[in-house]
Amino acid sequence: MTGPASTPATDTLLRPARTVPPGLPGLDPRYSHVLRDARGATWHYLDTGPELERRGLAPVGTVLAVHGNPTWSYLWRRLVSDSVAAARGGGAEWRVVAVDQLEMGFSARTGEHRALARRVADLGAFTEALGLAGPVVTLGHDWGGVMSLGWAVDHPDLLAGVALLNTAVHQPDDAALPAPLRLALAGPVHRVGTRTTPAFLDTTLALARPRLPAEVAAAYRLPYRAAHDRDGIEGFVADIPVDAAHPSAPELDRVAAGVARLRVPAVLLWGPHDPVFSDRYLDDLVRRLPHAHVHRFADAGHLVAEDADWTPAVLGWLGGEVLSRAGAGTTGADGGADSPFVPLWAGLDARAEDDAPAVLDMAATGAGGSARAVSWRALHRQVRRVAAGLHAIGVRRGDRVSLLVEPGPTLTALVYACLRIGAVVVVADAGLGVRGLTRAQRGAWPRFVVAQTKGLAAARALGWPGVRISADPLAPAVRRALGVAHELVDVARAGEGGALPSEPGPDDEAAVLFTSGSTGPAKGVVYSHARLSALRDTLAEHFDVGPDTGLVTGFAPFALLGPALGTRSVTPRMDVSSPRTLTARAVADAVRASDARIVFLSPAAILNVVATADALDTADRAALVRVRTFLSTGAPISAELLGSAAELMPAATAHTPYGMTECLLVTDVTLDGIRDAAAAPDAGVCVGLPVPGAEVLVSALDDDGAATGAPSAAPGVLGEVLVRAGHLKERYDRLWLTDLAAERDTPPGRWHRTGDVGHLDAQGRLWIEGRLGHVLRTADGPLAPVGPEQHVERVAQVRRAAVVGVGPAGVQQAVAVVETVPEARRPGLAPEALTAAVRVASPVPLAAVLVVPRMPTDVRHNSKIDRTRLAAWADGVLAGGRVGRP
C-alpha cells in the first residue's frame, strides 16, 4: 500500500489516530490524547502532563516511553498510574509520555511502510510537535527500544537517561536470528502470521508469565482486530535487519554505535525467559553501556513489563540517580579497601624460580600411589603460557571466561592466567545441578568457556554461551560434535614466549562466584581484584599462612587461593560436586602428600570423614597429627561433630569461621570458644568475633518478622545480620534490585544485609539463629528456628531437626521436623514416644512432630536444611494431603 499520511479517511484501510475507549483495565482514558505532527501524521499517546498540571505539580522531566511490536502504549499503563501516584505522594514529579508508533496501536494508519530510519525520524517529529523539552529519559521495549535509543542518540542536549526492557541494537555475526523471528519472516508465513491472522500478536501475548488475564489480553488486541489494522505488525517484522545487506542495517549500526557513546544514567531491566531477546542481547547492551544498572527478573520473559513489578525500580532510579546524575554509586569507608594493592598472582611470581611443589593432584596418582606434583616454577610458566595463549585467541580484559574444570593444577593455572590478563573468571560448581548451572551460565553470559568433556557436552546440549575451549585432548570427530573451537594444549603452546598485556587494576572485575543456591536461585557475586586480594590478606593474617604452611581443602574455591597465599595446596580425592564423598583416608593421604598444616573442610565432608575414621591406620593418624589448624565453614556445625573431627587431628586448633559467598570470612570461633559459649543462655550457633577488618551489626526484627530496626551492636537484639569488610563483594551480577535490597537502610560505607538472623552478645560474639525467610511469624512475635532446633536435637533419637511454621502469617504454629537415628522408614507423623520427648525438649509449643528419612539440604554443602521446602511439606501433611518425601 502507498499513500501520503494526509490521505482522507474515505479509504477504510487508512485511518487517523483516535483516543482509547473507556473500560480498559488499568488505563484511565483521561491520559489518552491525539496529536498531529508537522508532516500531517496523527499520533495517539498517553500523557500524564495535564493531570500533573491540574494538581499543581511541575514536572522535573519527561519519560518518553516507546512500545515495540506488536504491543502499544497500553504496555506502559502501570508507569503512567504509578508515576502520578508517586508525585501525589511527595515523590519526584516525572511526566510520562507513552506514544503509539505510527501504524500501531491507536495512532494513524497511513498505508506507508516505515523502515527503521524513518521510524526514528517519526519519533523526532512527534516530540517536536509535542514541544518536548529536557530533561528527557527514554524508555523502550522490543523494537521500541531501538527507536527510543535512536531518539536518544539524536537528542543529546535533551537526554537525561535511558531505560530499556528486553530489546536489541545488534545482531551478532556468529549467531542466527532468533527462531521465532525466522519463522515470522519465512515466505508465506510472514503475511499470514502477522497480518492475515493475529497469530504473531497472540503468540507474543502468550509469552507472558503467568498468563495474561483475558481482559488485559483483549485490551492489547483491541487496536489490531482487523487484518488492515495489522499492517504495522507485518511491516515491523519485515524491517528486522536480518543481515548487513538489509536496508535498515545501516541505521541499526548507527544507533548501536551511538549508544556506546552515551554517558547518561542507564538501567536495563530484563526477562531472561525470552525466546526472542535472549541474554545474548543483554550482554551486548551491557558492553555498550557498562555503567548501566542491570537487573534480571528471574521468572520474567519477553513481556517483562507484565511479568515483573518493575515500576518502583524505575521510579526510584528516576527520582534518585537521574535527578542527581550520581551514576558512580556511593563511596565510603569499607573496612580495609585503602590497603596497598598487591595482585593475586604476586605470590606465584615471587616463587617463579622455586622447584618445590605448588599444587598437588591427588586424583592423578602414579604407579607408586604418589600424587602428581606441579612445582612453583612449572606453574608460573604454565600460567604465563596459558595467559598469552588466551590473549592470542581473543580473550580480552573484561571478557568473561567460565571454567568448568575439576580442581587441580589445570584449573589453578587457568584461574591465574585469566586473572593476569584481566579476564573475569566465572565459577559455578557442578553441585548446582544441570538446571542451576544452565541458569548461571546464561545469567553470566561468558564469552568463552573452558571445560572438560562432560562440561562441553552439557554446553552443547543445553546451548550454554561462549566460545568452547576443551581442557581435554579430543578426537577430531568429538571436537566437531561438541563445537570446540580450541584445545587448551594448543592454546598454551601458542602462548609459549608470548608477551602479556598490561595488568588489570584493583577496581577491574576479577571473578563472578555463584552462591550455593541453598536460599533461592544461585546468584552471581562479582569480586574486583582489590576485593579478592583483601580476602587473601585477611586469610593469611588471621590463620597465619606462610610459604611452608600447606593447605588441604575439600572446598574448591579455597584451594585456588593457595598460590595467592604463596603456599602449596592440594584437593583430596573426592567428588567435588558431592562433599560427603570425602573420606578420612583421603584427608590423611592429602596431608601426607603435601605435609600440610591447615585442613579446610565443609560440614558435609566432616560428617563422612568422622564416619570413615575407623579405616585410618597408624601411618594415617601420624600424618594427621602434623595438622595445626582445622577449619570447617559453609554451614553451622555442632560442637560434638567438630570435636569428633578434631580428635583425628589432636594437635590442631579447630575453627569454624562464618561467612558467605558475598563475604567469605566474617567471624571466627574455635572449638574451645564454642564449648565456652555453650554455658551461655543465648539461642543459636555462636560463630565468634569478627575477624580483623570486619564489622557486624544487627537490624532488629519487628512484630511481622521484618528487619526494620536501625542497625546497631546492642547485645541481645534479634535481627538481620549486617556485615562489612575490605573483602566484601563488589555487587551481585546483573541483579541491581537485589543489591539495593542488600544495602537498604545501612550505615555509611559499604554494608551488606546477609539475610541471616541472629544477635550479638555482651562480648561482641555473633550468634546465628536462622535465615530471615525462615523466621516464624507467631501470635507472640517473630521466632527464629535454630534455638528451638538445638533443644530438640538433644533428644537421643534425633539426629537433625528443623522447626518450621505452618498456618497464616501472624498466627503461625511451630512444627518440628526431625531426622532420626536409626533412619525413619517413611515420612509422616512421629511415633507417640518420640513426639512426647521432642515436645518436652522444645522451649516453644509444637503443633506437631513429623519425621523424615533424610532432610532436604543444599547440594554444595549438603548441610543447609531447606526449611522453606519442609514448611510447605509439613503444611500439606497436616492439612491431610499426600504424605510423600519433602
Side-chain angles (χ1 to χ4, degrees):
M1 274 183 293
T2 60
S6 57
T7 300
T10 52
D11 183 342
T12 58
L13 302 185
L14 307 180
R15 186 182 64 236
R18 64 190 192 277
T19 57
V20 301
L24 299 186
L27 179 59
D28 191 322
R30 73 174 183 271
Y31 295 122
S32 178
H33 303 273
V34 168
L35 174 74
R36 180 180 295 273
D37 67 24
R39 305 177 182 188
T42 55
W43 300 75
H44 169 256
Y45 63 104
L46 307 177
D47 189 354
T48 65
E51 178 64 15
L52 293 177
E53 182 179 0
R54 187 180 72 82
R55 295 181 177 275
L57 301 174
V60 296
T62 301
V63 177
L64 176 62
V66 188
H67 68 87
N69 185 32
T71 57
W72 56 286
S73 58
Y74 185 70
L75 181 78
W76 309 116
R77 66 192 182 281
R78 293 180 186 170
L79 185 63
V80 167
S81 58
D82 289 358
S83 65
V84 173
R88 291 176 58 189
E93 301 90 352
W94 282 90
R95 176 189 184 188
V96 175
V97 173
V99 62
D100 285 359
Q101 297 197 55
L102 294 176
E103 324 302 331
M104 304 291 289
F106 286 91
S107 280
R109 300 299 191 267
T110 69
E112 300 180 31
H113 175 69
R114 317 192 90 82
L116 175 58
R118 186 172 184 186
R119 285 200 175 277
V120 172
D122 284 342
L123 189 56
F126 167 76
T127 59
E128 183 177 353
L130 192 62
L132 197 61
V136 175
V137 172
T138 60
L139 169 63
H141 170 250
D142 191 83
W143 287 105
V146 181
M147 283 75 191
S148 70
L149 290 172
W151 189 96
V153 168
D154 292 342
H155 297 81
D157 53 327
L158 300 180
L159 189 67
V162 294
L164 295 167
L165 280 59
N166 292 43
T167 188
V169 295
H170 176 66
Q171 174 62 32
D173 295 333
D174 61 347
L177 200 68
L181 295 184
R182 293 200 306 272
L183 177 62
L185 284 165
V189 174
H190 178 204
R191 168 154 284 209
V192 171
T194 58
R195 185 185 188 276
T196 307
T197 72
F200 187 82
L201 171 62
D202 290 343
T203 300
T204 300
L205 298 180
L207 295 177
R209 302 164 59 95
R211 188 177 183 88
L212 290 175
E215 62 273 18
V216 171
Y220 274 114
R221 293 187 181 97
L222 189 59
Y224 303 117
R225 289 182 293 186
H228 60 265
D229 293 328
R230 299 189 286 269
D231 280 346
I233 297 176
E234 178 187 13
F236 244 126
V237 172
D239 195 46
I240 296 171
V242 294
D243 53 39
H246 191 281
S248 284
E251 177 67 4
L252 185 64
D253 291 342
R254 182 188 76 87
V255 173
V259 169
R261 295 190 295 269
L262 296 178
R263 294 296 179 267
V264 295
V267 63
L268 311 176
L269 303 178
W270 210 261
H273 300 281
D274 188 340
V276 180
F277 298 114
S278 67
D279 283 289
R280 176 189 307 279
Y281 301 102
L282 173 61
D283 187 67
D284 176 73
L285 287 166
V286 169
R287 288 178 175 275
R288 296 174 193 276
L289 296 166
H291 61 286
H293 295 304
V294 183
H295 188 83
R296 298 170 74 251
F297 292 97
D299 297 322
H302 179 71
L303 290 176
V304 63
E306 296 292 343
D307 298 346
D309 185 18
W310 65 281
T311 58
V314 169
L315 292 172
W317 172 74
L318 288 169
E321 183 169 334
V322 175
L323 285 184
S324 65
R325 301 187 63 84
T330 59
T331 59
D334 56 3
D338 294 332
S339 302
F341 172 66
V342 179
L344 281 182
W345 54 88
L348 182 58
D349 288 349
R351 302 188 67 171
E353 304 302 321
D354 192 340
D355 289 319
V359 179
L360 293 96
D361 186 359
M362 297 304 297
T365 53
S370 60
R372 174 195 170 202
V374 178
S375 70
W376 289 98
R377 185 194 300 273
L379 180 60
H380 181 266
R381 176 172 176 263
Q382 184 70 349
V383 166
R384 292 187 67 86
R385 292 173 72 221
V386 173
L390 289 172
H391 194 260
I393 65 170
V395 181
R396 294 292 181 264
R397 181 177 300 187
D399 284 349
R400 294 184 169 190
V401 182
S402 177
L403 301 180
L404 302 174
V405 178
E406 290 186 358
T410 299
L411 178 59
T412 302
L414 278 165
V415 167
Y416 285 89
C418 290
L419 294 175
R420 173 57 186 81
I421 62 175
V424 181
V425 175
V426 177
V427 179
D429 64 52
L432 293 176
V434 172
R435 183 176 180 182
L437 271 175
T438 298
R439 183 193 294 266
Q441 296 299 314
R442 291 179 178 167
W445 203 266
R447 292 197 70 188
F448 298 85
V449 55
V450 186
Q452 291 164 310
T453 306
K454 187 176 180 180
L456 292 170
R460 180 70 178 215
L462 300 169
W464 294 347
V467 176
R468 293 174 199 141
I469 303 171
S470 176
D472 300 327
L474 299 174
V478 175
R479 179 171 169 167
R480 288 192 299 272
L482 296 178
V484 171
H486 307 278
E487 288 186 359
L488 187 59
V489 63
D490 296 326
V491 171
R493 188 178 296 119
E496 183 71 57
L500 295 179
S502 60
E503 296 182 355
D507 296 328
D508 287 330
E509 289 185 10
V512 180
L513 310 179
F514 276 85
T515 61
S516 67
S518 59
T519 57
K523 299 182 286 291
V525 179
V526 177
Y527 275 88
S528 66
H529 283 270
R531 305 289 172 198
L532 286 183
S533 293
L535 172 63
R536 171 205 59 200
D537 296 343
T538 299
L539 286 168
E541 176 185 355
H542 185 66
F543 295 113
D544 191 24
V545 181
D548 297 323
T549 302
L551 175 66
V552 172
T553 176
F555 188 44
F558 282 94
L560 296 172
L561 282 170
L565 291 163
T567 196
R568 61 191 172 278
S569 59
V570 56
T571 300
R573 284 188 303 275
M574 62 183 294
D575 178 353
V576 293
S577 68
S578 180
R580 66 177 64 184
T581 60
L582 181 63
T583 66
R585 173 64 67 85
V587 174
D589 288 344
V591 170
R592 184 165 40 241
S594 61
D595 193 27
R597 297 295 185 265
I598 298 180
V599 172
F600 200 132
L601 305 177
S602 72
I606 292 171
L607 278 170
N608 201 51
V609 167
V610 170
T612 57
D614 290 345
L616 295 174
D617 60 23
T618 302
D620 295 330
R621 293 183 182 276
L624 293 175
V625 167
R626 297 200 293 270
V627 177
R628 64 172 173 79
T629 303
F630 164 55
L631 308 171
S632 171
T633 191
I637 183 171
S638 69
E640 292 75 20
L641 181 58
L642 191 63
S644 296
E647 289 177 3
L648 303 178
M649 295 166 271
T653 300
H655 295 253
T656 176
Y658 162 73
M660 63 286 304
T661 309
E662 295 86 344
C663 193
L664 288 163
L665 183 60
V666 178
T667 69
D668 183 34
V669 65
T670 64
L671 177 57
D672 287 343
I674 293 174
R675 287 170 173 163
D676 180 63
D682 301 72
V685 176
C686 179
V687 294
L689 296 167
V691 299
E695 297 178 67
V696 176
L697 297 174
V698 171
S699 172
L701 302 183
D702 60 22
D703 289 341
D704 294 324
T708 57
S712 79
V717 175
L718 176 65
E720 183 178 13
V721 177
L722 281 67
V723 303
R724 81 166 175 174
H727 52 279
L728 176 65
K729 69 173 174 65
E730 205 68 43
R731 66 180 185 280
Y732 287 116
D733 186 43
R734 302 179 182 181
L735 291 170
W736 170 54
L737 299 181
T738 307
D739 271 323
L740 292 181
E743 297 163 4
R744 172 186 59 83
D745 299 331
T746 58
R750 299 186 68 256
W751 287 87
H752 171 71
R753 288 181 173 269
T754 65
D756 287 333
V757 172
H759 70 275
L760 293 165
D761 65 17
Q763 299 178 44
R765 297 176 300 189
L766 177 63
W767 296 71
I768 297 299
E769 300 184 61
R771 292 285 297 173
L772 190 61
H774 299 159
V775 171
L776 285 69
R777 288 176 281 178
T778 74
D780 296 323
L783 172 66
V786 171
E789 289 168 357
Q790 290 174 313
H791 285 269
V792 171
E793 286 171 352
R794 293 171 187 163
V795 174
Q797 195 178 338
V798 174
R799 180 171 180 265
R800 286 194 292 187
V803 172
V804 299
V806 297
V811 290
Q812 283 187 322
Q813 303 293 307
V815 170
V817 182
V818 299
E819 183 181 309
T820 60
V821 180
E823 182 180 294
R825 296 180 59 187
R826 60 180 64 86
L829 290 171
E832 289 185 14
L834 178 60
T835 297
V838 167
R839 282 186 162 141
V840 168
S842 174
V844 298
L846 296 174
V849 179
L850 304 174
V851 296
V852 292
R854 180 168 290 186
M855 293 286 189
T857 63
D858 69 295
V859 178
R860 177 181 292 176
H861 303 293
N862 298 141
S863 52
K864 294 181 179 179
I865 296 172
D866 190 342
R867 295 187 185 91
T868 301
R869 181 172 164 186
L870 281 178
W873 172 78
D875 204 48
V877 169
L878 296 176
R882 178 176 174 272
V883 183
R885 288 181 180 265

